[in-house]
Each structure stands twice: as C-alpha cells, then as structure tokens.
Amino acid sequence: MIAIDTYEQIINRELMAWKKKILRKSGTFERMSKTAQNKMNTFIPKKVHGVITESVRNLVEAVLKGSKFVTKERDVSCLNLQQKDQWVKETIATYRKTAVIEGAGTGAGGILLGLADFPLLLSIKMKLLFEIAGLYGFDAKKYEERLFILHIFQLAFSGEEKRRETLDIIEHWNETEHTRELDWQEFQQEYRDQIDFVKMFQLVPGIGAAVGAYANHQLLEQLGETAMNGYRLRILSEKA
C-alpha cells in the first residue's frame, strides 16, 4: 500500500528546502555582484539615497505606531492550512500584478517618477504582508504582530548574515518576549543594499519601464515566498 503524504508533511519538506536556500553561503558570483553594487552605489545621487532612506523610515514608523496598513478582518478559523495557503497565493499574485503595472508606469516616466516608485512599492509590499498576516489568522492590530511583519520584510530583503539572524528570530518567535525595538537604520540599510543594484536601472531612460516591471515582479515574488514560509513556520511551531 502506497503511503500518501499529508499536507503538513509536504509543507515541512518545502520549508526545509526554503531554509536551506535562505541559509546558504553566497557564491563567487553573488560576492562579485555585491562588490559591483557597492561601487555603483557611490555613483548614485544623494537625492536617490535620501528618498529611499526617508521612505523606509516613514514605513517603519507607520507600521509600529498604528493601523495604517491594517486590512479588513476575515474569519479564517474554519480554514485549514492548505486552504489558507491557496488564498495567500492568490493574494500574492494580485499584488504582484499591481506592482508590475506600477513599476512599468513609473519606470517609463523618467527619473522623477522612477524615484516615486520607491515609496509606492514599499506601500504595496507592506499592504501585502498585512493581508497575508490576516489570512493566516494573525491580528495585525497587535504591536507584536506588526513587529513580526517587519521581521518577515527584513528576512526577505537582507544580506546573508542578517538573514540568518532574522530566520532564527522567526523560528523561535513563540518562545520569546518581543520588547526590543527594531533598528530602523539597519533595517533601511539592508533593504537598500538588496534592491539598489537592479532598481537603479529603472531610472535609465529607454529601459526603465521594462526594468521596473521585471524588478517589481521579482521583489513581490520574493516577499510573498518569504511571508508564506515565515507564517507556515510559526503555525507549525505553535501546533508542535
């Protein structure tokens, strides 16, 4: 008789593969790309760096202080994990399409609109995370849940060392009191370092629209995968 895996067994295997990807060391190509990125950052106008820094600071403050991104409540108590996952996947796809359209539009508009893409994309990303939190049954009106959302964001857009640290925090979230404030300066620096290289090409006339659409698609895909697996880890940990 052939044994049929349960959905949780399938998810556990997916989580193992995902964690392996998160924890893997950077290869030679990635290290070379990082060196090139650091060099390129020195040529980026201070105004661009300033827009990103201010956008991230405002985002962190808005998330921690209140309900700007809180979405309408949904009763998901009757859904199992597989049903929640399916709903989350559909939500990610919807937000990804929105981000692609937004990236193409701002990328086609030159430098000024290209700069406008940074805060707009941040808002789309954060709204997605609040939606996902609600779909998995977590109340984002609570400070601790908003802090968890920021850690998911940080896990998605951080360098190798910070990813390892943040994954460990998420894996042991239910075992710890969360009283330490988030370091927004470190938060924004990690984010900038991860997106600057590709997003800067969005400011280049002629290719901005294509780059903006592609970059936003990839960034939303990355964030969606991280959020799904982060909440899966937490849900399965609570059950265990």
Side-chain angles (χ1 to χ4, degrees), residues 2-3 14 24 28 30 38 40 49 67 72 78 101 126 128-129 140 160 166-167 182 184-185 189 196 207 210 219:
I2 300 175
E14 290 183 5
R24 68 180 170 81
T28 303
E30 289 170 304
N38 290 338
M40 183 177 178
H49 285 300
S67 57
K72 63 180 180 181
C78 59
I101 294 169
M126 201 49 62
L128 171 61
L129 289 180
E160 181 183 317
T166 308
L167 179 59
L182 189 80
W184 82 265
Q185 289 276 12
Q189 187 61 54
D196 269 357
I207 64 170
L219 292 170

Short mmCIF file of all heavy atoms in Angstrom, two decimals, residues 2-3 14 24 28 30 38 40 49 67 72 78 101 126 128-129 140 160 166-167 182 184-185 189 196 207 210 219:
data_model
loop_
_atom_site.label_atom_id
_atom_site.label_comp_id
_atom_site.label_asym_id
_atom_site.label_seq_id
_atom_site.Cartn_x
_atom_site.Cartn_y
_atom_site.Cartn_z
N ILE A 2 0.62 2.20 -0.89
CA ILE A 2 1.43 3.41 -1.02
C ILE A 2 0.95 4.45 -0.02
O ILE A 2 -0.23 4.79 0.03
CB ILE A 2 1.35 3.98 -2.44
CG1 ILE A 2 1.87 2.95 -3.45
CG2 ILE A 2 2.14 5.27 -2.54
CD1 ILE A 2 1.73 3.38 -4.88
N ALA A 3 1.89 4.93 0.80
CA ALA A 3 1.54 5.96 1.78
C ALA A 3 1.39 7.32 1.08
O ALA A 3 2.21 7.66 0.22
CB ALA A 3 2.62 6.04 2.85
N GLU A 14 8.99 21.42 2.00
CA GLU A 14 9.17 22.71 1.34
C GLU A 14 9.90 23.70 2.25
O GLU A 14 10.76 24.46 1.80
CB GLU A 14 7.81 23.29 0.93
CG GLU A 14 7.14 22.53 -0.21
CD GLU A 14 5.83 23.17 -0.64
OE1 GLU A 14 5.48 24.25 -0.12
OE2 GLU A 14 5.15 22.59 -1.51
N ARG A 24 22.10 29.37 2.81
CA ARG A 24 23.29 29.03 2.01
C ARG A 24 24.22 30.22 1.94
O ARG A 24 23.81 31.39 1.95
CB ARG A 24 22.89 28.59 0.61
CG ARG A 24 22.30 29.67 -0.26
CD ARG A 24 21.93 29.14 -1.64
NE ARG A 24 21.15 30.11 -2.40
CZ ARG A 24 21.68 31.12 -3.06
NH1 ARG A 24 22.97 31.31 -3.06
NH2 ARG A 24 20.91 31.96 -3.73
N THR A 28 30.54 32.80 -5.48
CA THR A 28 31.50 33.76 -6.04
C THR A 28 30.81 34.84 -6.84
O THR A 28 31.13 36.04 -6.72
CB THR A 28 32.51 33.02 -6.95
OG1 THR A 28 33.15 31.99 -6.19
CG2 THR A 28 33.56 33.99 -7.47
N GLU A 30 27.73 35.97 -6.55
CA GLU A 30 27.00 36.88 -5.69
C GLU A 30 27.93 37.85 -4.99
O GLU A 30 27.61 39.03 -4.82
CB GLU A 30 26.19 36.08 -4.66
CG GLU A 30 25.01 35.33 -5.28
CD GLU A 30 24.38 34.37 -4.30
OE1 GLU A 30 25.13 33.50 -3.78
OE2 GLU A 30 23.19 34.47 -4.05
N ASN A 38 28.27 47.80 -4.54
CA ASN A 38 28.83 48.79 -3.62
C ASN A 38 29.53 49.92 -4.39
O ASN A 38 29.44 51.09 -4.02
CB ASN A 38 29.82 48.13 -2.66
CG ASN A 38 29.13 47.22 -1.66
OD1 ASN A 38 27.94 47.37 -1.40
ND2 ASN A 38 29.87 46.28 -1.11
N MET A 40 28.80 50.81 -7.49
CA MET A 40 27.78 51.56 -8.20
C MET A 40 27.06 52.53 -7.26
O MET A 40 26.68 53.64 -7.65
CB MET A 40 26.76 50.60 -8.83
CG MET A 40 25.68 51.28 -9.65
SD MET A 40 24.56 50.11 -10.43
CE MET A 40 23.43 51.24 -11.22
N HIS A 49 19.41 58.21 -2.64
CA HIS A 49 19.61 57.55 -1.35
C HIS A 49 18.69 58.17 -0.29
O HIS A 49 18.14 57.47 0.56
CB HIS A 49 21.07 57.70 -0.90
CG HIS A 49 22.03 56.80 -1.63
ND1 HIS A 49 21.91 55.42 -1.61
CD2 HIS A 49 23.11 57.09 -2.39
CE1 HIS A 49 22.89 54.90 -2.33
NE2 HIS A 49 23.63 55.89 -2.82
N SER A 67 -2.33 51.69 12.67
CA SER A 67 -3.14 50.82 11.83
C SER A 67 -3.21 51.26 10.36
O SER A 67 -4.17 50.95 9.66
CB SER A 67 -4.57 50.77 12.38
OG SER A 67 -5.12 52.07 12.46
N LYS A 72 -9.17 44.75 6.35
CA LYS A 72 -10.43 44.30 6.95
C LYS A 72 -10.27 42.89 7.50
O LYS A 72 -9.53 42.05 6.96
CB LYS A 72 -11.54 44.33 5.90
CG LYS A 72 -11.35 43.39 4.72
CD LYS A 72 -12.51 43.50 3.75
CE LYS A 72 -12.32 42.56 2.55
NZ LYS A 72 -13.42 42.66 1.58
N CYS A 78 -12.25 28.65 10.12
CA CYS A 78 -12.78 27.39 9.59
C CYS A 78 -11.89 26.80 8.48
O CYS A 78 -12.16 25.70 7.97
CB CYS A 78 -14.20 27.58 9.06
SG CYS A 78 -14.31 28.81 7.75
N ILE A 101 2.53 46.63 -12.86
CA ILE A 101 1.94 47.77 -13.57
C ILE A 101 2.52 49.08 -13.04
O ILE A 101 2.88 49.98 -13.80
CB ILE A 101 0.40 47.77 -13.39
CG1 ILE A 101 -0.20 46.55 -14.11
CG2 ILE A 101 -0.21 49.06 -13.93
CD1 ILE A 101 -1.66 46.30 -13.79
N MET A 126 4.06 46.33 1.96
CA MET A 126 3.58 46.26 3.33
C MET A 126 2.10 45.90 3.38
O MET A 126 1.66 45.13 4.26
CB MET A 126 3.83 47.60 4.02
CG MET A 126 3.85 47.52 5.52
SD MET A 126 4.91 46.20 6.21
CE MET A 126 6.54 46.69 5.62
N LEU A 128 0.61 43.99 1.31
CA LEU A 128 0.59 42.54 1.06
C LEU A 128 0.87 41.77 2.34
O LEU A 128 0.18 40.79 2.66
CB LEU A 128 1.63 42.18 -0.01
CG LEU A 128 1.87 40.68 -0.22
CD1 LEU A 128 0.60 39.97 -0.67
CD2 LEU A 128 3.00 40.45 -1.23
N LEU A 129 1.88 42.20 3.10
CA LEU A 129 2.23 41.49 4.33
C LEU A 129 1.10 41.54 5.35
O LEU A 129 0.83 40.54 6.04
CB LEU A 129 3.51 42.07 4.93
CG LEU A 129 4.79 41.78 4.15
CD1 LEU A 129 5.99 42.42 4.85
CD2 LEU A 129 5.03 40.29 3.98
N ALA A 140 -3.08 41.92 13.04
CA ALA A 140 -2.04 42.94 12.84
C ALA A 140 -2.31 44.22 13.62
O ALA A 140 -1.49 45.15 13.58
CB ALA A 140 -1.88 43.25 11.36
N GLU A 160 23.33 38.12 3.73
CA GLU A 160 23.49 36.76 4.25
C GLU A 160 23.49 36.69 5.78
O GLU A 160 22.75 35.90 6.37
CB GLU A 160 24.82 36.19 3.72
CG GLU A 160 25.11 34.77 4.15
CD GLU A 160 26.47 34.30 3.63
OE1 GLU A 160 26.78 34.57 2.45
OE2 GLU A 160 27.20 33.68 4.40
N THR A 166 17.80 36.80 11.37
CA THR A 166 16.35 37.05 11.35
C THR A 166 15.57 35.74 11.26
O THR A 166 14.51 35.60 11.89
CB THR A 166 15.98 37.97 10.17
OG1 THR A 166 16.79 39.14 10.20
CG2 THR A 166 14.52 38.38 10.23
N LEU A 167 16.06 34.78 10.49
CA LEU A 167 15.38 33.48 10.42
C LEU A 167 15.34 32.82 11.79
O LEU A 167 14.33 32.23 12.17
CB LEU A 167 16.09 32.57 9.41
CG LEU A 167 15.50 31.15 9.26
CD1 LEU A 167 14.04 31.21 8.82
CD2 LEU A 167 16.33 30.32 8.28
N LEU A 182 12.97 47.76 16.96
CA LEU A 182 13.64 47.47 15.69
C LEU A 182 14.60 48.61 15.35
O LEU A 182 14.26 49.79 15.49
CB LEU A 182 12.59 47.31 14.59
CG LEU A 182 13.10 46.81 13.25
CD1 LEU A 182 13.26 45.29 13.29
CD2 LEU A 182 12.15 47.19 12.12
N TRP A 184 15.75 50.78 12.88
CA TRP A 184 15.30 51.15 11.54
C TRP A 184 16.46 51.54 10.63
O TRP A 184 16.41 51.37 9.41
CB TRP A 184 14.24 52.25 11.60
CG TRP A 184 14.77 53.64 11.74
CD1 TRP A 184 14.93 54.35 12.87
CD2 TRP A 184 15.22 54.49 10.66
NE1 TRP A 184 15.47 55.58 12.60
CE2 TRP A 184 15.65 55.71 11.25
CE3 TRP A 184 15.30 54.36 9.28
CZ2 TRP A 184 16.14 56.77 10.51
CZ3 TRP A 184 15.80 55.42 8.53
CH2 TRP A 184 16.20 56.60 9.15
N GLN A 185 17.55 52.06 11.22
CA GLN A 185 18.71 52.42 10.41
C GLN A 185 19.30 51.17 9.75
O GLN A 185 19.61 51.16 8.55
CB GLN A 185 19.78 53.09 11.29
CG GLN A 185 19.41 54.48 11.76
CD GLN A 185 19.76 55.54 10.72
OE1 GLN A 185 20.06 55.23 9.58
NE2 GLN A 185 19.69 56.81 11.12
N GLN A 189 19.19 50.12 5.71
CA GLN A 189 20.45 49.87 5.02
C GLN A 189 20.44 48.49 4.35
O GLN A 189 20.89 48.34 3.20
CB GLN A 189 21.63 49.96 6.00
CG GLN A 189 22.99 49.88 5.31
CD GLN A 189 23.22 51.01 4.33
OE1 GLN A 189 23.09 52.19 4.71
NE2 GLN A 189 23.53 50.71 3.09
N ASP A 196 19.07 48.17 -4.46
CA ASP A 196 19.64 49.30 -5.22
C ASP A 196 20.10 48.91 -6.61
O ASP A 196 19.82 49.59 -7.59
CB ASP A 196 20.84 49.89 -4.46
CG ASP A 196 20.42 51.01 -3.53
OD1 ASP A 196 19.22 51.35 -3.54
OD2 ASP A 196 21.27 51.53 -2.81
N ILE A 207 14.90 52.06 -20.91
CA ILE A 207 14.76 50.69 -20.39
C ILE A 207 14.05 50.67 -19.03
O ILE A 207 13.80 49.62 -18.46
CB ILE A 207 16.13 49.99 -20.23
CG1 ILE A 207 17.00 50.70 -19.17
CG2 ILE A 207 16.84 49.90 -21.56
CD1 ILE A 207 18.24 49.94 -18.79
N ALA A 210 10.69 48.46 -18.66
CA ALA A 210 10.92 47.01 -18.64
C ALA A 210 11.59 46.57 -17.34
O ALA A 210 11.22 45.57 -16.73
CB ALA A 210 11.78 46.60 -19.84
N LEU A 219 10.63 41.17 -6.88
CA LEU A 219 10.64 41.58 -5.48
C LEU A 219 9.37 41.13 -4.76
O LEU A 219 9.42 40.71 -3.60
CB LEU A 219 10.80 43.10 -5.37
CG LEU A 219 12.17 43.64 -5.82
CD1 LEU A 219 12.14 45.17 -5.91
CD2 LEU A 219 13.27 43.20 -4.85
#
